[in-house]
Amino acid sequence: MSLAAPPLALYVHMPWCVKKCPYCDFNSHGLRGAPPPYAEYADLLLADLDADLADFGAAARGRDIVSVFFGGGTPSLFAPDHIARFLDGARARLPFAGDCEITLETNPGTVEHGRFDGYLAAGVNRLSFGIQSFDDDKLRRLGRIHSAGEAEAAVKSAQDAGYANINLDLMYALPTQDLDGALADVERAIALAPTHVSHYQLTLEPNTAFAANPPPLPDDDHAWAMQEACEARLAAAGYGQYEISAYAQAGRRCAHNLNYWQFGDYLGIGAGAHGKLSDAAAGQVRRRWKTRHPRAYMEAVGGAARIGGDGAVDADELPFEYMLNALRLIDGVPLADFAARTGLPPERIAAPLAAARRRGWLVDDPHWLRTTALGQRFLNDVISGFLD
């Protein structure tokens, strides 16, 4: 089977935040002492991009960028002119699709109205707010630096600046949270009329403060009840679920995350950023990730030392990697996409597909990969069946 080149996106990691949250396992670094070298870092991102394009050659050059995502950390710590300088430089190196979605993650405690105007002028056309909760007690327990009132004010300020495409991140199953509290957070979010809501369960990740000292969390049954009730409320308000933790108004699904879940390609730029690239000529899917610590990354100045790891994905691992993404989508994907995105024949997954269908975890359709409602609930079990 031949490997097709899927859509190409760009992920840009901004590693600093005001304070590390106790549940966070991302590559983020709290502010200490002197301010980080934001301008220098923004310029070095272009050196990183240049080096990746040189390394990847024809596999990356000339392909339209369908989406850009500034993640972190807290990208809104960077001034609009830093974001504009990077985007202008990236456009000079790679063609951007006419409808390219450009998202910037923002913390409600780090922005003011003038910055929203600036981000919009820089080309950022979508904002993602890390709200997590509209309950001040829960925000304190989560270590967030903003209040519920500040969160609402920040979203309204962005809307006043002209933003019409906004995501709100919410968590549920928070410390001491009950069903009414989870639903109250969803109601406050709906009242702000975002175009998209990311709604996911708080989990205790290794090497976090919460993992070392777990807070009192709702049990699995209560967490499941919260998920079902919040899903129903979001649906009633016009937010259709299209992925395990993603809900959107019609026409407002996140293009960048959809590309991940459909096993698309993405260049990962910045400290700790991960990328994936399909090299049709070489017949391989390649993953590369950058060194995590900002100082070490910057000292590399686009050189080889910026790379934390690089290599082709083993063919035996591709079915699992593909399903880990594609089966998160509520609508699923065409079975033909498996061969196009992995270069493997469908026969490679025939046995685990048949087993999952017998268990009632996958819809019995020879042309489509989609979980049933039961499969969504036991998604980890479904996906693990595709491990070699």
Side-chain angles (χ1 to χ4, degrees), residues 4-10 59 63-67 97 255-256 258-260 262-267 276-278 337 341:
L8 180 64
L10 182 60
R63 296 169 62 183
D64 282 2
I65 297 296
V66 298
S67 64
H256 189 83
L258 273 174
N259 189 51
Y260 286 153
Q262 293 168 347
F263 215 54
D265 283 351
Y266 47 98
L267 298 173
K276 167 191 170 285
L277 196 68
S278 302
D337 279 7
R341 302 285 165 98

Side-chain angles (χ1 to χ4, degrees), residues 288-341:
R288 168 176 285 187
W289 55 98
K290 306 299 169 58
T291 188
R292 289 175 59 86
H293 199 279
R295 181 175 299 168
Y297 169 83
M298 294 179 68
E299 288 173 352
V301 194
R306 80 194 191 285
I307 300 173
D310 190 3
V313 181
D314 190 278
D316 290 337
E317 298 173 1
L318 277 172
F320 173 75
E321 287 218 14
Y322 181 85
M323 297 300 174
L324 186 64
N325 290 279
L327 292 184
R328 292 180 64 91
L329 291 168
I330 302 303
D331 295 339
V333 294
L335 180 57
D337 279 7
F338 170 78
R341 302 285 165 98

Side-chain angles (χ1 to χ4, degrees), residues 80 84 87-88 91 114-125 161 163:
L87 287 173
D88 289 345
R91 283 193 182 93
R115 285 210 172 192
F116 291 131
D117 290 334
Y119 292 135
L120 193 62
V124 174
N125 52 33
Y163 274 99

Side-chain angles (χ1 to χ4, degrees), residues 13-16 29-45 77-79 82 85 293-299:
H13 193 74
M14 318 302 252
W16 292 288
H29 303 261
L31 300 183
R32 296 174 185 170
Y38 295 122
E40 181 185 356
Y41 183 86
D43 289 338
L44 289 175
L45 290 172
L77 288 173
F78 285 74
H82 299 146
R85 197 154 64 244
H293 199 279
R295 181 175 299 168
Y297 169 83
M298 294 179 68
E299 288 173 352

